[in-house]
Every structure is written in C-alpha cells, then in structure tokens.
Amino acid sequence: MSGATIVLMWEARAAEGRGGELLEWARARAAELASEPHRRELLRAPQDRVLVMTWWQDASYADDLPELPEPDTALITRPVHRWRFEAVG
C-alpha cells in the first residue's frame, strides 16, 4: 500500500481538572515529532478528551511513523487510544 496517506489518531482523556494541561502537553509533543507530518490537527472534546491527528504522505500502515508518547499516568484517566487510517479522497 505504498504511496498512500496514512492518518494517525492519538486520543487521551485527562484526569479530573487537568484538561487544559493535557491539551498543552499534547500541543508541545506534537510540535516535537521526529519528522514533520504533511498535516497536523489538535482537537478537544467533552470530558477533557484531547485528539491529535497527523497525516503522513507516501506512507503505509506498516511504516514506523512518529507518534505522540504516553503522558504521565497522573495526567490521564486511562491509556491512550491510537488508530491508523488510510485517507480516501
């Protein structure tokens, strides 16, 4: 599947009252990725959830693409959820 655009999704839920802190943590980590994605978006949702999406051109599902790490466990309520998708026009 070489030549596709792969979208990485990273989603976490902040510990009580720490949504703003998690958002800023994710913003900083997304800016420090080992290489620059074609596109990057940072979103938030109710229950202090934070979502980071990065688009990687000319990639495949199996590629070793830069991803955000796990935050400190005190900052989140559960492990981070991660998904990979192929963009389809």
Side-chain angles (χ1 to χ4, degrees):
M1 174 187 326
S2 185
T5 297
I6 299 298
V7 181
L8 303 185
M9 293 179 63
W10 177 101
E11 186 263 343
R13 184 172 175 196
E16 182 73 29
R18 298 189 73 183
E21 188 178 346
L22 178 61
L23 182 64
E24 288 311 309
W25 181 93
R27 184 186 318 276
R29 298 299 84 69
E32 300 170 351
L33 291 173
S35 58
E36 187 68 21
H38 171 70
R39 179 177 163 196
R40 170 184 17 235
E41 287 195 38
L42 185 66
L43 305 119
R44 65 180 170 189
Q47 300 177 327
D48 287 330
R49 288 178 291 140
V50 174
L51 176 68
V52 178
M53 298 173 55
T54 55
W55 282 254
W56 303 91
Q57 289 185 317
D58 299 320
S60 75
Y61 280 108
D63 287 347
D64 184 21
L65 301 170
E67 295 193 54
L68 272 67
E70 290 277 330
D72 184 285
T73 56
L75 188 56
I76 55 177
T77 61
R78 56 164 168 75
V80 168
H81 293 172
R82 300 170 191 272
W83 300 274
R84 287 185 177 214
F85 295 93
E86 178 184 358
V88 292

